Amino acid sequence: MFIPWNHESVRLTGRWSRPQPSDCDTHRYVAPLECAVTTAPGSYFEAAFTGNWAKLLFFMDQAQQPYPHVWVSVDGGARVEASLDRFMRIAAQGEGPHTVRVIYKGGMEQLSRWHLPLVGAAAFRGLEAEGAAALAPDTRPLVEFTGDSITEGVLIDADFADEPVFRYDQRNRPWQDDVCATYAWLAAEEVNVRAMFQAYGATGMTRSGCGGVPRAGEQYPFVFENMPYRGEKPRVVVVNHGTNDRENSAEEFCARYEEYLDLVRRDNPAVQIVCIVPMIGAFRREISAIVERRRTAGEGIRLCDLSGMLPDEPLHPLREGHRAAARRLAPVLSAALRAE
């Protein structure tokens, strides 16, 4: 039995395209309309099936090596890292029902992840299995984390470069990056919420980033170029930008930051917002002042100051650095959820 991506036994979490017939002109340059597509690490899907096997199907016609890496787990078991490919076999224990979960772990930053044609995307078609099963509901709150390479999980395992697969280090990123080891994912686990991400390396409030991704304010309403986000609205949005904006003036940064907060609020008026002062301390005074002014005016917004947790170099924290940041963020995130 073929179970498509939009079947009731499949659940998408994160910034996936959910294409409609009107999207044909845009989506056909990425993948068929019979696919859900994401370029954001941290996006994942879950699928419930019966029988002792399943075959996950992906559209790879436009993909370039190195392919993105994913975490795969079955029935809540350990996550296993794998390279994305046209199909991936699942061998389950017993006749089921079973649930498989696949998380976009990380990929090469420099591959096109915004403008068409996309070559750094994951395009999920569906799965083949003996039958479909009922997918257990997940009623936990949804929290979105927006940011740059630190939130994306870049170079968490930088020591992988000691034994690289490729000489050009950018091509080793699928092995070096891990969104599931970031402060964001870990804090979400700590407070028992679902996490979704819009975080891309080198981006900021004032600048575009790797893979052709535009600045933060031009990203937010979309999954990728001209493809609107149609998924579930988050109850909390965590904003971590500023690290990559240091070459621009505080005035420009503040204007773009305010614009971004207004965009998030306009998209979801009831959302709670958590603004992070970056680990490197960029724009600490400015971000703090913006949050205080808006909070005083009655807006649902609060500050999480992570400054002082990173030196200028190396810019990207390793696993322990992310764990320390998660411990600082988790209580702020809990407070935001209680304030709804």
Side-chain angles (χ1 to χ4, degrees), residues 43-65:
S43 301
Y44 63 93
F45 67 83
E46 298 155 288
F49 63 93
T50 59
N52 59 12
W53 64 272
K55 183 167 71 173
L56 309 179
L57 303 171
F58 299 89
F59 180 79
M60 302 291 290
D61 286 11
Q62 295 186 13
Q64 289 185 12
Q65 292 276 14

Side-chain angles (χ1 to χ4, degrees), residues 71-257:
W71 286 118
V72 182
S73 61
V74 179
D75 296 335
R79 292 195 297 254
V80 178
E81 182 175 3
S83 176
L84 200 65
D85 217 321
R86 292 184 181 276
F87 63 87
M88 302 173 69
R89 291 190 179 97
I90 303 296
Q93 295 294 316
E95 294 300 315
H98 300 289
T99 300
V100 60
R101 187 187 201 200
V102 178
I103 307 168
Y104 186 168
K105 171 185 177 284
M108 181 176 167
E109 292 178 281
Q110 297 292 359
L111 293 179
S112 178
R113 302 194 287 177
W114 197 263
H115 301 295
L116 308 177
L118 299 178
V119 295
F124 176 55
R125 294 172 54 201
L127 66 153
E128 293 179 0
E130 183 176 301
L135 187 63
D138 189 344
T139 59
R140 295 175 300 161
L142 181 65
V143 174
E144 181 165 41
F145 297 90
T146 70
D148 50 37
S149 57
I150 292 175
T151 304
E152 182 183 357
V154 169
L155 292 173
I156 278 180
D157 292 313
D159 57 356
F160 182 85
D162 294 340
E163 297 180 6
V165 175
F166 299 101
R167 289 187 177 182
Y168 175 47
D169 192 54
Q170 265 286 335
R171 302 194 71 193
N172 295 310
R173 291 302 164 82
W175 290 268
Q176 295 172 318
D177 301 356
D178 184 2
V179 69
C180 293
T182 62
Y183 74 92
W185 190 279
L186 297 175
E189 289 186 328
E190 175 66 23
V191 301
N192 194 30
V193 298
R194 293 172 293 149
M196 62 178 288
F197 290 76
Q198 190 178 57
Y200 296 99
T203 58
M205 291 296 177
T206 62
R207 57 166 290 169
S208 58
C210 295
V213 180
R215 64 179 179 85
E218 294 175 349
Q219 297 173 33
Y220 193 73
F222 301 101
V223 178
F224 50 82
E225 183 180 25
N226 295 327
M227 179 56 60
Y229 173 66
R230 299 187 176 104
E232 180 183 350
K233 300 291 187 182
R235 287 166 57 180
V236 177
V237 172
V238 181
V239 181
N240 187 359
H241 276 293
T243 300
N244 295 321
D245 296 289
R246 289 168 291 160
E247 294 181 357
N248 294 296
S249 68
E251 291 75 16
E252 181 183 2
F253 174 78
C254 289
R256 295 298 192 190
Y257 202 95

